Amino acid sequence: MITPSSARRRLERAPFLDAVAGRTPTRTPVWFMRQAGRSLPEYREARAGISMLDSCFLPELLAEITLQPVRRHDVDCAILFSDIVVPLKRAGVDIDIVPGRGPVAAQPVRERRDVEQLPVLREPVAEIAQGIHSILAGLRDDQVLIGFAGAPFTLASYLIEGGPSKTHQRTKALMHTEPKTWHALMERLTETVIVFLAGQVEAGVDAVQLFDSWAGFLSEHDYGEFVQPYSARIFAALEPAGIPRIHFGVTTGELLGDMAAAGADVVGVDWRVPLDRAAQRIARAAGPKVLQGNLDPALLFAGPEVVRGEVERIRADARRAIASGTATGHVFNLGHGVLPDTPAEAVTEAVRIIHQAS
Ligand code: 1CP
């Protein structure tokens, strides 16, 4: 169980918190997944000569990189600069982030013995707690900090496949051929994720997002049997902390109800499903929730007029959902992360358009 933190800020006028609580925000809150990173020249400069994973363990650097997009784009939320594999690395798993590719595990987890030997994170990551303190000192009281973790399924996929996968074939095969091994792995990863998030909550983050990025590859049945119970345990552990909990995955149109039912307050929706239809699926399964999304990140390349049209359409979809009682609020975001080649100016312009439309 994750208890409320004495470091938690009391924010009275943050648009994100107003939208999540069902109040009318002063402007539409917006943040973008992957708002920190390669699209920013100042990020490339700050990271020069430092590996991705090393940068996640340097408190002042991770704080600076987290704040860069907040300063440049005037987004309403900072997202902690870290990676989903950071808790695995700190626990002692031999995993690295290969530039241009992503997380790669030296010894993939394939058998019962591998699972039994997989280290579990026992202590929060102290460097991240220090970084969070610096970030909070650099934010205004209308800007929130979102902490995050990867969900057990998405982490398991990197460990089992050994790296990024377009099919998740070994992961699915393990679930079905060795369900006991699968469940043992998910137990361990769930513990790690809870300890990792507990440290962020204790350090004072204002909200948390659980990224189950690749859950959309699963059938509804497999999601329900092999994945949802563990994500639900994480959301239940977070509940006493009293901060908003966001759940996100890509191509999860068919799973939105089940992902909402895992216990989130806010459900991320990718661009494939209109927000009002997403809200119906969510409300039917779990009651009305806050929606987060869902501009197609590729459209940041299409120029401000296209973005303006899409922003209006998405806001109309969200308004319809709220008016019909199937959603209680809307946080603007992309349907997935900022693409690395996106011009920084296009991101700033999109934020301006979203705020203007409020
Ligand atoms: O600004 C922010 O959003 C914060 C930074 C952030 C976040 C939220 C990073 C930094 N990683 C993440 C989470 C993360 N990492 C997810 C969930 C979000 C998503 O769906 O995009 C996933 C799946 C990962 C795994 C990962 N790490 C990948 C994807 C690989 C694949 O399977 O396709 C990659 C490329 C990384 C490396 C990484 N993490 C972050 C950055 C800036 C980078 C690229 C750095 C580099 O290569 O030098």
Side-chain angles (χ1 to χ4, degrees), residues 33-37 43 47 52 79-84 97 99-103 148 158 164 211 213-214 336:
M33 291 178 277
R34 293 285 168 105
Q35 63 191 17
Y43 166 82
R47 272 261 338 264
M52 173 64 203
I79 171 98
L80 179 70
F81 182 78
S82 184
D83 193 80
I84 59 170
I97 294 181
R101 190 156 171 234
F148 76 89
Y158 286 108
F211 281 96
S213 298
W214 314 135
H336 198 187

Side-chain angles (χ1 to χ4, degrees), residues 31-38 43 47 50-53 55-56 65-66 69 78-85 96-103 146 148-151 154-155 157-158 163-166 168 209-214 248-250 336-338 340:
W31 68 280
F32 290 158
M33 291 178 277
R34 293 285 168 105
Q35 63 191 17
R38 243 181 65 190
Y43 166 82
R47 272 261 338 264
I50 306 172
S51 79
M52 173 64 203
L53 268 179
S55 65
C56 295
I65 295 176
T66 300
I79 171 98
L80 179 70
F81 182 78
S82 184
D83 193 80
I84 59 170
V85 300
D96 205 353
I97 294 181
V98 176
R101 190 156 171 234
I146 301 173
F148 76 89
T154 290
L155 292 174
S157 170
Y158 286 108
S165 169
K166 290 192 165 47
H168 308 273
Q209 175 154 322
L210 190 68
F211 281 96
D212 213 350
S213 298
W214 314 135
F248 171 80
V250 196
H336 198 187
V338 175

Side-chain angles (χ1 to χ4, degrees), residues 257-258 260-261 276-289 325-326:
D258 295 319
D276 50 345
R277 204 176 315 147
Q280 287 166 3
R281 295 176 186 178
I282 292 165
R284 205 176 306 128
K289 303 269 181 189
T326 53

Side-chain angles (χ1 to χ4, degrees), residues 129-201:
Q130 283 171 41
I132 289 172
H133 294 143
S134 300
I135 296 163
L136 293 176
L139 289 175
R140 297 193 309 252
D141 66 358
D142 59 343
Q143 297 167 328
V144 306
L145 173 61
I146 301 173
F148 76 89
F153 165 71
T154 290
L155 292 174
S157 170
Y158 286 108
L159 291 173
I160 296 166
E161 307 291 338
S165 169
K166 290 192 165 47
T167 54
H168 308 273
Q169 62 212 42
R170 289 179 190 271
T171 310
K172 294 179 183 185
L174 186 77
M175 279 175 190
H176 284 273
T177 56
E178 292 188 55
K180 281 207 173 111
T181 303
W182 171 262
H183 287 294
L185 175 59
M186 293 298 271
E187 291 282 346
R188 285 185 170 243
L189 292 172
T190 301
E191 274 184 63
T192 289
V193 169
I194 290 174
V195 170
F196 186 54
L197 288 174
Q200 297 179 40
V201 170

